[in-house]
Each structure stands twice: as C-alpha cells, then as structure tokens.
Amino acid sequence: MRDLLALTARPGLVSFAGGLPADELLPLDQIQTCIDAVLTRDGARPLQYGPPYAPLKEQIALYMGSRGVACAPEDVFITGGSQQGLEIAMRLLLDAEESVAVESFTFTGILQAVRGHGGLPLPISVEPDTGIDLDEFDAALARKPRAAIVIPDFHNPLGVSLPEHKRIHLADLVARHNVPLIEDDPYSPLRYEGERLKPIKAYDETGSVTYLGSFSKMLAPAMRLGWMIAPRDLLPKLTVLRESIDLESSQLIQRAVAEFMARGWLEPHLARLNAINHARRDAMLAALRRELAPPGAGLAGLADWTTPQGGLFIWLTLRGDADTTALFHAALEQNVAFVPGGAFAAHDCAPRNSLRLNYSNAAPERIEEGVRRLANAVKEQLAMPA
Ligand SMILES: Cc1ncc(COP(=O)(O)O)c(C=O)c1O
C-alpha cells in the first residue's frame, strides 16, 4: 500500500487514496495556543520525561463517560496512538501460529500487528449495512482464537458501523467464549449523521473488551496520542510493554491536548470538521450516483457503495469480477487515485472488485472531477463509451 500511495503524489492528481483529516481542517492556531500556554505555565516540565499526564487521563475519562463508558482516570492507559495500542495488545496476547478473528476486509495496520507476531488473521464476513456477521463470528469464537479485533464505527475501509443490537450481542459473545476483544475506535468522534452509539466497551460486564481511542482523526495524526481502556489487572503488564517500545508519550503533547480539551475546544472543532466532511461525503455520493448509477436509478449500475454516517471512507464494489488493482493503474492515467480493496483483505482469496474512496481530503468540486475521472477509467476497463 505504501508503494501505491507513493504513486499518487503528483501534481493535478485527485487523490481519494489517503486516510487523513484535511490539512486545512487541522486546528493549527488552537494547537499553537495550547503549546504556548503549556510552556508558559509549566516551564521545562513539558520538555522532560514524565509519567502519563494525570489531567489528560481525567479529560479522557470524562470523554469516555460522555460516550457511555464509565471509567476512572486510573483506568486510562495513554498510548502513542491506536496502532501502538494494537501492537501492545498483540505483544501481550499473541504467540506465533495463533489466530485472531478480524473483519474480512480491515485496516492494514491490524493485519500488520497480527502478522508481525506470527499470528494468523481469521477473517469474518461483513454485511455491507451492519458490519461483522455475528453468526460467523460466534462460530469462529468457538474455535478459540487468541483474540478478536473489531472496528465499531465508520470502519476503515468499509465505512460501515455496527448497530446497537450488534454491539450488545458482540460483548455477550466474547464474554461467553472468553475471547479478548480489541475494539479499535479512532473514527466514532467523526459522526455527522444518525444517532451517536455507545462503544462495545459500554456493554462489557466481564472485562473482555479492551477499548482503543485515538486523537489522530479527531485532532491531528501527528499528536501520536491515544488511549486504551483495559481491565485494571492488565495495567502493570501494559506499562512494562509500552516502556519497551518507546518509554512514554511526549509530555508536551499530552499537556497540550489536555489543555485543548480543558478549554472546551474539542466539541466545536469536531462540529466544524464533521460538517465539512458531511458536505464532502454528499458530494461524493451525488457524483457516484451520477457517474456510476446504482440499480433503481433507472440505469444499468456499474457499482454499489456504502453510505457512511461519519468517518472518512466509502467502500465501492464494482459489478462483476473487475480487478481494482488493474483499475488503479488505469485510474492513475486519468489522474485519480484510490486504494484497491485487496490491500485490506484478511485472506488471499477475497474478491478483488472493491476499492476504498476517501472523501475528506478534497473540496466538493475536486471530488466531482475525481469521480468523473474514476468513472472514465471504469468504463474504459469495461470497454464502454465514457
Ligand atoms: C482502524 C484504524 N485503527 C488504527 C489506526 C491508527 O491510528 P493511530 O494514528 O491512532 O495510530 C488507523 C489509522 O488510519 C485506523 O484506520
């Protein structure tokens, strides 16, 4: 995937390939204000080594409470982002040749964390509108995988979110089978439509669920800051594992983020970010309908796609047995890029006719232009008139 992304860095190209908040929506001035305030108030302390910053843990515990997860500041384990949380969890749980249940298409970093420890992803099918298939999940848990990893909201790459009844059922299944579940949730703060749902962790009565949160998508990826809510008895082990990776998170960044939250800036920032992402999603959906017409639109549809209620991604599946890796190169000729679905496949025989579109990084006019170019590449591949 890194090689594919390198090909997309050229002038004039419309990239739907990234997975980042748009540069112009990062709260630059506010972050600068917070860093200045922290250095003025705390002097050299933010530039030193130090234990996890207690006021940040308090802010995160409050935030989790507002999401329906009752926890104390002592339950919050600061990480260097969700990816580090995944790595720590896999180090803790996994030995070579053990399996981990994952969604059949999932974030590449999850597959890397599992495979990096010699683990074997155990793919579970995903329903386009409601996420992971729970009958299949139940059957997979009966085979006693070492862990399961699920992305509950605005899935990367599928865009889908689990409805409440599935969250409750999932929490019940992992408790019944006694399999630890890692809930990887960097996207739930990016909801712009529909009802805000509680994380799976909110329904965890047995300490089976470890929750991973991140400031990457809700604030800025370069903060490299996130958190974990894990069963309390794991915290000493997690601390030792974390220290073996990078000792600790930056004091300066922890304090600046705590300041950002304490000033009450997070909610208004998210409201602005989400409103703009909403408009960009609408622009992409409208352009897809126009250019690739789904069934019911009165035209022969060329593709189906998900309609996310937040987050950054739409998952598009071409009709028939199209290969989106070949399409990627044809699309580059048209100056538009996406990520072929195969990059996210948890197993080798997954269908190759899907792709991930990111809509948060281009203004609506660029999105329309990009989808026009994409449709041309699709029609060219299918030998249809553009
Ligand atoms: C599902 C998922 N988990 C984890 C990550 C990594 O997040 P972080 O920047 O917090 O390490 C990403 C980043 O794209 C992601 O999409």
Side-chain angles (χ1 to χ4, degrees):
M1 181 152 141
R2 188 172 294 117
D3 296 342
L4 292 186
L5 288 178
L7 293 173
T8 68
R10 69 181 198 215
L13 182 132
V14 180
S15 180
F16 300 139
L20 329 164
D23 277 2
E24 69 275 18
L25 301 181
L26 297 174
L28 198 61
D29 292 342
Q30 289 173 310
I31 288 175
Q32 194 159 22
T33 302
C34 290
I35 290 179
D36 284 350
V38 158
L39 288 171
T40 305
R41 185 191 66 206
D42 299 342
R45 290 293 314 144
L47 304 180
Q48 280 294 3
Y49 291 117
Y53 187 56
L56 177 64
K57 299 205 317 179
E58 280 161 27
Q59 290 293 342
I60 293 173
L62 281 175
Y63 171 78
M64 291 306 294
S66 77
R67 299 285 327 278
V69 178
C71 65
E74 307 83 83
D75 296 313
V76 176
F77 180 83
I78 300 292
T79 66
S82 257
Q83 186 62 42
Q84 188 180 70
L86 290 165
E87 170 63 20
I88 292 173
M90 291 303 101
R91 278 196 196 194
L92 180 70
L93 294 171
L94 199 58
D95 285 321
E97 303 294 312
E98 289 182 323
S99 60
V100 178
V102 295
E103 288 130 333
S104 55
F105 288 91
T106 192
F107 170 53
T108 48
I110 289 179
L111 298 173
Q112 282 169 318
V114 172
R115 292 185 176 131
H117 291 275
L120 307 170
L122 177 58
I124 314 292
S125 306
V126 176
E127 291 163 303
D129 296 330
T130 61
I132 193 161
D133 179 321
L134 288 188
D135 289 335
E136 220 180 280
F137 189 58
D138 190 6
L141 294 190
R143 291 161 58 192
K144 289 284 167 225
R146 192 62 193 90
I149 308 177
V150 166
I151 306 166
D153 275 299
F154 318 128
H155 191 278
N156 179 9
L158 303 172
V160 64
S161 298
L162 290 164
E164 187 181 36
H165 70 92
K166 277 197 160 181
R167 294 171 195 240
I168 295 169
H169 194 171
L170 255 165
D172 178 54
L173 284 177
V174 293
R176 244 184 313 123
H177 287 281
N178 195 20
V179 172
L181 174 70
I182 315 300
E183 180 179 22
D184 182 18
D185 182 28
Y187 296 107
S188 63
L190 304 194
R191 180 178 286 280
Y192 43 66
E193 199 173 70
E195 200 189 328
R196 213 175 182 201
L197 296 172
K198 291 180 193 171
I200 304 166
K201 180 73 185 161
Y203 305 103
D204 173 29
E205 288 170 3
T206 53
S208 309
V209 182
T210 292
Y211 177 90
L212 303 181
S214 171
F215 289 103
S216 289
K217 306 294 157 79
M218 66 203 274
L219 200 52
M223 297 286 123
R224 304 314 306 136
L225 197 63
W227 68 95
M228 195 186 257
I229 310 289
R232 263 191 203 181
D233 57 333
L234 285 184
L235 294 179
K237 274 193 191 159
L238 293 175
T239 305
V240 172
L241 276 172
R242 163 79 206 260
E243 281 175 1
S244 77
I245 298 173
D246 65 348
L247 295 181
E248 59 201 20
S249 289
S250 153
Q251 277 295 314
L252 178 59
I253 297 298
Q254 289 184 74
R255 285 168 196 245
V257 171
E259 184 69 20
F260 195 99
M261 294 176 91
R263 287 178 182 229
W265 285 354
L266 193 54
E267 284 303 323
H269 166 66
L270 285 171
R272 174 167 175 266
L273 177 71
N274 290 338
I276 292 171
N277 284 344
H278 192 175
R280 291 178 177 186
R281 181 212 64 172
D282 285 350
M284 184 168 275
L285 289 176
L288 288 171
R289 275 195 297 273
R290 214 167 28 247
E291 302 291 338
L292 291 168
L299 293 159
L302 298 179
D304 298 290
W305 49 84
T306 52
T307 299
Q309 296 188 318
L312 308 177
F313 308 112
I314 288 173
W315 181 250
L316 182 142
T317 304
L318 291 168
R319 301 279 171 81
D321 59 359
D323 176 351
T324 55
T325 303
L327 180 67
F328 173 81
H329 294 284
L332 275 190
E333 296 291 308
Q334 302 274 351
N335 251 350
V336 62
F338 56 82
V339 181
F344 307 100
H347 57 107
D348 295 337
C349 351
R352 300 285 148 156
N353 58 343
S354 295
L355 56 93
R356 187 190 77 178
L357 295 171
N358 164 249
Y359 54 81
S360 65
N361 256 299
E365 319 75 69
R366 292 290 287 164
I367 289 177
E368 282 167 27
E369 175 58 26
V371 172
R372 218 175 356 259
R373 294 177 191 177
L374 174 66
N376 286 344
V378 169
K379 289 170 189 166
E380 214 170 70
Q381 277 239 314
L382 300 175
M384 291 172 66

